[in-house]
Amino acid sequence: MSEAAPQLQPADFVVVANRLPVDRTTDTGGAVAWRTSPGGLVTALEPVMQERHGAWVGWPGAPDEALDPFDYDGYHLVPVPLSGQEIEDYYEGFSNGTLWPLYHDVVAKPEYHREWWDAYHAVNERFAEATMRVAGPGATVWVQDYQLQLVPQMLRRRRPDLRIGFFLHIPFPPIELFQQLPWRRQIIEGLLGADIIGFQTPGGAQNFTRITRQRLKLETHREMITLPSGRSARAKAYPISIDAKGFETLAQSRPVQDRARELRHELGDPEVLFLGVDRLDYTKGIYHRLRAYGELVAERVIDPRKAAFLQVATPSRERVEEYKRLRDDVNMLVGRINGDLGDLRRPAITYLHASFPRAELAAMYTAADVCVVTPLRDGMNLVCKEYVACRSGTDGALVLSEFAGAAGELRQAYMINPYDINSMKHGMTLAMNDTVQNKRRRMRALRRQVFTHDIEAWATSFLDDLAAVPATTAGVPRPGVGAPASRTGAQA
Ligand code: GDG
């Protein structure tokens, strides 16, 4: 692969992520084109990419496809191929069958398979190789998420001149859970290849620092971890956010406002509209939430002739066993609740297992009186921030799980514990019945937080910290870094 690849113009700023930020489209004549896939990360990073000869390294999304790097929208895209077997072992297997449940408090049982690990290692190597080839001297590289935790160290070994950042979009678990992982040491060392390791919450950063201290016997001081080489790495929280202004503008547009009204009408003009929007994932607490709502309807606390619940569950990871099971469980629950409690005019729950354009989501956020976000564990959760951004009338209410990273910032939400069904029922009832003044007061505070901490602020604060890391010279400790830790190599 390396010899065949064409010579690339060296990039000064490289993003490395499991997926490229584009989707392939084929027009009616069969011509293939690429279209930016909607997402906050791309929106936030595109200006930086364009300014700084950027490159994005990632998998194009289809198996067994060796594509040459190409220019797109003012930056390079560097496709990394994956075979069908690698998609099974690296992506569906180690990333989503091992790491995902392990990092989300083991809410499903993680599976540990050596073939999955081997594939994860091999694919991380391939990403590191591709990155190394495109990164110019002294370039800044920003590696994204749990699929690529070995890349920072692999890059550091090959290219000590690079400034390397890493950001983990999901929670980082406490040591008591993390130590189940047979390859725990390799993962920690992989991450420590970065100059800055970013987490969604201070708790995640602290979990990581504690593991380096207890397992690798490294010296730590607050956010700083001193490595045996004398180099230091920093573990710090950077809570991710959304393009708040973009969402607000979309929500205020005429077509979205009209669609919001139409949606309410299609749902039977309820007095109260509850909304849930999630990937169909067992971490999101969809089952628990619908059960709680079902009880409220059964007890007549909520009158199904006056209220509606719209639940969107976007199809996700459908070949992974645990997700198939969840899909069946939710189908059955919704069927049971609607069978028992709906009437001819209206089901208790309107359940849509489908994905929608962003404008349709904005219309749902605009239409909903109560947005219900109840993950059992979530790195951040962007849906709750999107809902808040769309409520320019400062009405509406957010029910939010304490176990979402966003709970640290959105303190004025109606906070619930998703493991406690009564707490959820109470939160939904309160959000529905609270006074208009209370709701407005809460929503104003939530909006202040979301608009002053948007995705641009997030990217800027991470990249400013990374830019402040002194340029690296191989093997030479940076100024201001203390003596190397005395003990290394302890079993992690
Ligand atoms: C991971 C972490 C962290 C959903 N359905 C549709 C659709 N969406 C969009 C939402 C939102 C995004 O997907 C989901 O983001 P979340 O943050 O809620 O959850 P994850 O996918 O699990 O994301 C999470 C995030 O990374 C960022 O760091 O917050 O904790 O798990 O933006 O709007 N978008 C469209 N149609 C849909 O049907 N267009």
Side-chain angles (χ1 to χ4, degrees), residues 35-49:
R35 189 183 53 200
T36 306
S37 48
L41 195 61
V42 198
T43 317
L45 295 181
E46 224 162 40
V48 194
M49 303 286 281

Side-chain angles (χ1 to χ4, degrees), residues 38-41 100 104 144-146 167-171 200 240-242 247 277-279 281 283-284 312-317 354-361 364-365 373 377-384 386 404-406 455 458:
L41 195 61
W100 180 269
H104 286 89
Q144 306 288 324
D145 227 358
Y146 63 104
F167 184 75
L168 185 69
H169 290 253
I170 66 175
Q200 297 278 26
I240 201 168
S241 193
I242 57 160
F247 258 98
V277 175
D278 312 79
R279 268 187 317 100
D281 193 297
T283 59
K284 302 290 183 185
V312 172
T314 312
S316 178
R317 305 176 192 169
S355 41
F356 297 89
R358 221 165 77 104
E360 182 73 0
L361 280 192
M364 292 175 186
Y365 293 140
V373 179
R377 178 57 80 191
D378 215 331
M380 177 54 54
N381 193 288
L382 299 181
V383 165
C384 54
E386 291 167 0
I455 182 89
W458 170 80

Side-chain angles (χ1 to χ4, degrees), residues 145-333:
D145 227 358
Y146 63 104
Q147 304 92 348
L148 301 174
Q149 292 172 100
L150 305 177
V151 170
Q153 188 197 30
M154 290 170 168
L155 270 180
R156 170 80 53 198
R157 280 213 200 104
R158 294 165 164 88
R159 289 288 303 274
D161 60 301
L162 300 176
R163 259 196 192 98
I164 304 171
F166 178 91
F167 184 75
L168 185 69
H169 290 253
I170 66 175
F172 192 86
I175 188 166
E176 290 74 10
L177 296 177
F178 185 77
Q179 63 191 0
Q180 287 185 10
L181 187 66
W183 305 277
R184 57 203 182 184
R185 181 187 181 84
Q186 289 93 318
I187 295 283
I188 297 296
E189 290 182 345
L191 291 170
L192 284 171
D195 293 293
I196 298 186
I197 307 147
F199 297 88
Q200 297 278 26
T201 62
Q206 283 153 15
N207 285 345
F208 180 76
T209 317
R210 185 171 155 226
I211 287 170
T212 65
R213 205 167 46 236
Q214 295 192 353
R215 285 268 157 203
L216 295 190
K217 308 295 177 210
L218 297 180
E219 264 178 36
T220 67
H221 181 63
R222 295 172 201 265
E223 296 165 350
M224 302 307 284
I225 304 161
T226 307
L227 298 163
S229 64
R231 188 173 69 79
S232 58
R234 184 174 190 189
K236 184 179 167 189
Y238 300 87
I240 201 168
S241 193
I242 57 160
D243 174 14
K245 199 89 208 80
F247 258 98
E248 184 186 50
T249 308
L250 182 62
Q252 286 173 339
S253 69
R254 172 50 69 79
V256 169
Q257 290 284 325
D258 289 348
R259 178 64 190 137
R261 266 191 298 277
E262 192 177 71
L263 256 171
R264 279 190 85 100
H265 186 61
E266 286 171 3
L267 290 163
D269 288 318
E271 281 170 29
V272 187
L273 174 58
F274 290 86
L275 173 70
V277 175
D278 312 79
R279 268 187 317 100
L280 184 53
D281 193 297
Y282 52 80
T283 59
K284 302 290 183 185
I286 301 168
Y287 188 92
H288 301 61
R289 162 195 324 165
L290 296 181
R291 229 188 99 198
Y293 186 77
E295 284 194 13
L296 287 172
V297 175
E299 291 157 8
R300 294 287 157 185
V301 176
I302 289 178
D303 181 347
R305 288 164 308 179
K306 293 186 179 156
F309 198 120
L310 173 60
Q311 175 65 54
V312 172
T314 312
S316 178
R317 305 176 192 169
E318 295 193 291
R319 287 168 19 150
V320 180
E321 214 35 62
E322 202 68 41
Y323 290 76
K324 291 185 195 157
R325 235 194 320 273
L326 174 72
R327 186 175 171 187
D328 290 345
D329 290 350
V330 173
N331 277 341
M332 215 135 64
L333 179 68

